[in-house]
Amino acid sequence: EKKNISWTGTVLQIIWFLSILVARILALGLFASVFHELVFVAAAAHWVIMAVFMLQSRTRFCKTKCEEVFFDILLAFVYI
């Protein structure tokens, strides 16, 4: 059996994930401050690439094909 993570481990993991989040936000902010309009182009390109990747991976989370395509497109937005 696996042991549960300790409080110290939980705190360190939260700090780790928050530092990743802050780094990504700062990177996007700096990119946006230099390349104003290109931020939307880069985000749209990333969304399209991730949507195609998700559709090609043939996930099986939904009952119908239509729901699955909608789910993959929404999940691609989350990956931005």
Side-chain angles (χ1 to χ4, degrees):
E1 288 190 24
K2 290 172 71 174
K3 293 182 179 180
N4 290 335
I5 190 169
S6 67
W7 283 102
T8 307
T10 302
V11 170
L12 288 174
Q13 190 173 21
I14 289 171
I15 291 171
W16 180 263
F17 285 121
L18 284 176
S19 65
I20 291 172
L21 181 65
V22 168
R24 289 180 180 184
I25 291 170
L26 284 174
L28 279 173
L30 288 172
F31 184 81
S33 69
V34 176
F35 304 105
H36 305 287
E37 292 82 21
L38 288 180
V39 172
F40 300 109
V41 173
H46 190 267
W47 177 76
V48 168
I49 291 168
M50 291 310 298
V52 169
F53 174 75
M54 292 300 299
L55 290 168
Q56 292 297 319
S57 66
R58 303 202 190 279
T59 57
R60 307 220 189 256
F61 293 110
C62 302
K63 295 178 183 176
T64 66
K65 181 68 175 171
C66 183
E67 289 175 348
E68 194 68 37
V69 169
F70 183 70
F71 175 77
D72 289 342
I73 290 171
L74 274 176
L75 194 58
F77 181 72
V78 170
Y79 282 130
I80 291 178

